[in-house]
Amino acid sequence: MVSSVDRPVNVLALPGGPTVAELAELGVRRVSVGGAFAFAAYGALIEAATELRDQGTYGYWARTDIGRRAVRENFGG
């Protein structure tokens, strides 16, 4: 399909689909994730809040390093 059109081809990534590298090899120019990143963030938020509410523990804190580091590097602090 990619070779049959004269425009860039965009693909919505879904579980079980080809990898980004495989799509690039086919000539795909852009891979979209739709709302998947937002849903992943909401899922992490819900898991952390549920842990705090139900167990009163802070295990979620161990998973905050990447986000904290990114915010500090990109927005200061």
Side-chain angles (χ1 to χ4, degrees):
M1 180 176 119
V2 174
S3 61
S4 67
V5 296
D6 64 346
R7 301 275 188 241
V9 173
N10 302 324
V11 172
L12 176 62
L14 295 171
T19 66
V20 172
E22 290 168 336
L23 291 170
E25 212 172 283
L26 295 171
V28 171
R29 299 282 299 271
R30 180 175 155 220
V31 177
S32 300
V33 297
F37 287 169
F39 295 140
Y42 291 139
L45 172 64
I46 290 167
E47 287 176 350
T50 300
E51 176 192 350
L52 184 60
R53 180 192 67 204
D54 294 352
Q55 282 114 33
T57 58
Y58 312 101
Y60 61 86
W61 194 257
R63 299 184 300 274
T64 64
D65 286 343
I66 293 172
R68 187 177 327 109
R69 194 169 32 247
V71 167
R72 287 182 178 158
E73 288 173 6
N74 291 287
F75 301 105

